[in-house]
């Protein structure tokens, strides 16, 4: 079976918190705890889709951990009224120490045909050398077509709503 192509280029920019020109950007970082145990809980929650489920997205059961090339179709909405958002994992870090001595674990995924947006989103657990634990979410996106452009204000509010839910879920995962 041939996998569908991504709906944007270039791939993997979210790993460096970069975006192509002309895309909306979400870049949030919040302290969620202290110590390795909090970091490990958050990292596992990110990689096992608990972050997404806790934010109210429906992720199919048995999805498996985030891994490069894995497709996932989170769905946003209420009850049976859900909008599917097909994505593919573009990169993972499990765990990686950066140049500043911080430990980082997470992944980024990109949009596939059928997603209401085009772009990429990244989710990271970060353990700083001083023991502080942070959750980071970085995304860049554009509306996928004219239909979704008509609903731009609703789409922006929905994206902000889900981002806030990611942040509060990350706090719960780390505690």
């Amino acid at each position: 079976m041939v996998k569908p192509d991504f709906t944007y280029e270039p791939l993997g920019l979210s790993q460096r918190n970069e975006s192509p020109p002309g895309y909306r950007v979400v870049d949030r970082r919040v302290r969620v705890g202290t110590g390795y145990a909090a970091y490990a809980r958050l990292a596992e929650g990110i990689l096992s889709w608990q972050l997404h489920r806790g934010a109210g997205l429906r992720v199919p059961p048995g999805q498996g951990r985030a891994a490069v090339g894995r497709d996932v179709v989170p769905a946003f909405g209420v009850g049976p009224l859900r909008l599917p958002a097909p994505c593919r994992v573009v990169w993972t870090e499990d765990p990686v120490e950066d140049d500043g001595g911080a430990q980082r674990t997470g992944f980024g995924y990109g949009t596939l045909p059928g997603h209401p947006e085009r772009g990429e989103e990244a989710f990271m657990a970060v353990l700083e050398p001083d023991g502080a634990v942070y959750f980071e979410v970085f995304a860049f996106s554009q509306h996928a077509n004219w239909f979704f452009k008509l609903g731009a204000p609703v789409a922006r509010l929905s994206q902000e709503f889900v981002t806030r839910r990611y942040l509060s879920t990350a706090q719960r995962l780390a505690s």
Side-chain angles (χ1 to χ4, degrees), residues 19-152:
S19 68
Y23 282 75
R24 268 187 340 274
V25 172
V26 172
D27 188 3
R28 304 288 281 281
R29 175 179 162 101
V30 63
R31 186 174 178 160
V32 295
T34 304
Y36 185 81
Y39 165 75
R41 285 189 300 271
L42 176 58
E44 179 58 26
I46 290 170
L47 294 173
S48 67
W49 308 103
Q50 292 173 54
L51 176 76
H52 287 69
R53 289 182 180 107
L57 299 174
R58 184 173 291 159
V59 178
Q63 182 61 52
R65 292 169 63 81
V68 173
R70 174 156 291 147
D71 288 357
V72 62
V73 184
F76 175 77
V78 178
L81 301 174
R82 295 198 173 256
L83 182 63
C87 297
R88 180 173 301 137
V89 177
V90 178
W91 59 265
T92 61
E93 292 184 11
D94 185 23
V96 172
E97 190 170 303
D98 69 16
D99 294 339
Q103 199 167 16
R104 303 170 56 81
T105 301
F107 73 94
Y109 59 22
T111 58
L112 298 172
H115 196 294
E117 300 284 319
R118 288 191 305 250
E120 209 165 279
E121 192 164 27
F123 310 92
M124 295 297 298
V126 180
L127 176 62
E128 294 291 350
D130 67 357
V133 177
Y134 289 88
F135 169 67
E136 298 176 351
V137 59
F138 180 86
F140 59 86
S141 62
Q142 292 178 332
H143 304 299
N145 58 41
W146 67 269
F147 177 76
F148 290 112
K149 283 181 185 176
L150 290 177

Side-chain angles (χ1 to χ4, degrees), residues 2-8 88 111-113:
V2 176
K3 288 188 172 189
D5 291 333
F6 289 95
T7 58
Y8 68 99
R88 180 173 301 137
T111 58
L112 298 172

